[in-house]
Amino acid sequence: MPEFVGSIFNSFYVSVLCTAVRLLCAAMAAFALTKIPFKGRNAVFGIYVTALMIPSQITFIPLFIIMTNMHLTNSLNAFMLLQLFNAFAIFMMRQKMMTINDAYIEAAVIDGASMWRIFFKIILPMSGSAMATLAILAFMDMWNDYLLPLVLLSERSKFTLPLLLSTLSGQYKNQYNLTMAGALISIIPILIVYIFAQKYFKEGLTVGGVKG
């Protein structure tokens, strides 16, 4: 039971922090790709789009080698490092920010606002629907992730909930009570997050699809 509770805490720790890091990094990258002109901007975005076509499973071996060389295996904080680059999150935020009129930024620049102030005070509030949708998707992604923790974690005390549940069923022994309890608990956080953010979810999923 203690390790069961510990796995729930590990899953919450990884999911919440990774969601926050993914949102912030994706929003900053999207802001640079849409509102800050620089040479090669479209080429950089093309690289991001290309990355969407690469299955994540084929990156596990080089990822494990890199993390081992950096002494970051078997660490929950290593998951946050991997959120600095997420092609889908950047693509989604960019599509939303493209719908924001540049006149807001021009007016803020005239008033003497810095780029950081424009980003946090103007762009992020106007990207609320996309941020909420992305938060739901990112939280679900990290909460339900099994393969990445399987690759990076080896100590049982650091297992996330999906990883621990997979160890409760084997060829000779099955702990159905803990497995069913864990499966039920794994649904509750996602359900709560969706209930609070559902009003933004539909709008966020249609980002960039309609221009008026």
Side-chain angles (χ1 to χ4, degrees), residues 155-175:
E155 288 185 17
R156 194 175 177 88
S157 62
K158 295 184 179 180
F159 280 6
T160 57
L161 184 58
L163 190 56
L164 181 67
L165 290 177
S166 70
T167 66
L168 299 180
S169 299
Q171 183 176 0
Y172 302 105
K173 183 179 181 181
N174 293 292
Q175 296 177 274

Side-chain angles (χ1 to χ4, degrees), residues 3-59:
E3 70 175 8
F4 187 72
V5 175
S7 69
I8 296 176
F9 172 79
N10 293 339
S11 288
F12 267 111
Y13 179 81
V14 169
S15 300
V16 172
L17 293 183
C18 286
T19 297
V21 172
R22 183 183 297 188
L23 285 174
L24 181 60
C25 292
M28 289 192 295
F31 177 63
L33 290 171
T34 54
K35 303 304 180 184
I36 301 178
F38 61 89
K39 187 176 181 180
R41 185 172 66 176
N42 292 333
V44 172
F45 178 68
I47 296 174
Y48 278 100
V49 174
T50 303
L52 289 172
M53 297 182 287
I54 302 175
S56 60
Q57 290 80 3
I58 69 174
T59 66

Side-chain angles (χ1 to χ4, degrees), residues 63-73 81:
L63 177 63
F64 177 77
I65 295 174
I66 293 173
M67 288 299 175
T68 300
N69 292 334
M70 297 177 65
H71 304 288
L72 290 175
T73 54
L81 181 63

